[in-house]
Amino acid sequence: MEKTPSYFVTKEAPARISSMSKGTKLIVVVRDPVTRAISDYTQTLSKKPDIPTFESLTFKNRTTGLIDTSWSAIQIGIYAKHLENWLLYFPIGQILFVSGERMISDPAGELGRVQDFLGLKRIITDKHFYFNKTKGFPCLKKAEGSSKPHCLGKTKGRTHPDIDQEVVQRLRDFYRPFNMKFYQMTGQDFGWD
């Protein structure tokens, strides 16, 4: 097993992975692209507090509403475009798309799908999780080989900055056709507005 968030969006990755093993099963975790872009910005902001505002980075021209698709925080969420590249090398049946939202609301259900996809016995169930209200995420009741609970690290679950709702709506409108295409390509409706 190998993982990195950048594989899905790296143009050369599908060909390289295919050349190593055409039978590789791929798991891609996706979330609402607007929330994902804001989360990406929040992570960068935590490292570089002097960067421009999310709103100013989102647009090439805010007056006309032209979205800056060269900004990586926007580019990554155009999932249909990235998937097209993967489908040149892998059949859709070898790719499982996991909902980031359902990983929070129903982690055992999503991990059940992962276990099924990998042909594994379903071992991970609801009894392995509890919801941590402080983090806003589910946590493992105890990590493997430990008697202590395990939650995501401090870089996960950061409070996002308040973003102008008009900008959020413009992004929703921008992503909508790409999301619809992604739903058709995957046969899965993720429920993003």
Side-chain angles (χ1 to χ4, degrees):
M1 183 178 141
E2 168 56 14
K3 71 139 191 118
T4 182
S6 63
Y7 283 154
F8 188 60
V9 299
T10 301
K11 191 157 182 57
E12 301 79 20
R16 287 178 181 164
I17 294 170
S18 176
S19 72
M20 287 188 294
S21 174
K22 291 190 182 322
T24 299
K25 290 186 176 185
L26 305 162
I27 301 171
V28 182
V29 180
V30 292
R31 68 188 294 197
D32 178 327
V34 176
T35 306
R36 207 217 56 72
I38 295 168
S39 182
D40 188 296
Y41 173 80
T42 302
Q43 182 174 347
T44 303
L45 186 63
S46 73
K47 296 172 186 166
K48 298 178 187 173
D50 58 340
I51 62 170
T53 65
F54 179 86
E55 291 84 350
S56 65
L57 292 168
T58 299
F59 298 101
K60 278 189 179 177
N61 181 328
R62 188 160 180 185
T63 307
T64 63
L66 183 62
I67 304 288
D68 187 354
T69 57
S70 68
W71 184 29
S72 65
I74 300 297
Q75 180 69 229
I76 291 168
I78 307 173
Y79 302 132
K81 176 185 157 212
H82 306 301
L83 179 55
E84 284 175 342
N85 190 31
W86 284 90
L87 293 177
L88 297 173
Y89 299 91
F90 293 95
I92 195 75
Q94 279 178 232
I95 308 172
L96 177 68
F97 294 91
V98 173
S99 164
E101 288 83 12
R102 286 194 297 269
M103 282 293 289
I104 295 168
S105 65
D106 180 19
E110 279 302 278
L111 288 174
R113 292 180 60 241
V114 170
Q115 291 169 98
D116 293 347
F117 175 71
L118 295 174
L120 302 172
K121 180 180 172 190
R122 281 199 179 201
I123 295 173
I124 302 167
T125 65
D126 282 332
K127 71 180 182 183
H128 292 95
F129 297 95
Y130 73 94
F131 191 80
N132 182 309
K133 290 180 183 146
T134 306
K135 289 291 280 180
F137 286 100
C139 299
L140 284 170
K141 286 190 177 168
K142 62 179 189 159
E144 188 72 31
S146 169
S147 59
K148 289 193 259 178
H150 178 74
C151 288
L152 294 171
K154 63 184 176 191
T155 63
K156 301 295 181 186
R158 288 190 196 100
T159 302
H160 289 178
D162 287 329
I163 305 297
D164 181 332
Q165 285 307 298
E166 180 191 332
V167 172
V168 170
Q169 190 54 54
R170 284 203 177 165
L171 280 172
R172 293 213 178 286
D173 294 343
F174 167 77
Y175 281 118
R176 190 170 292 112
F178 298 110
N179 291 344
M180 294 303 125
K181 184 174 182 184
F182 184 63
Y183 297 171
Q184 288 176 329
M185 294 170 81
T186 62
Q188 205 172 336
D189 184 335
F190 291 89
W192 306 318
D193 177 29

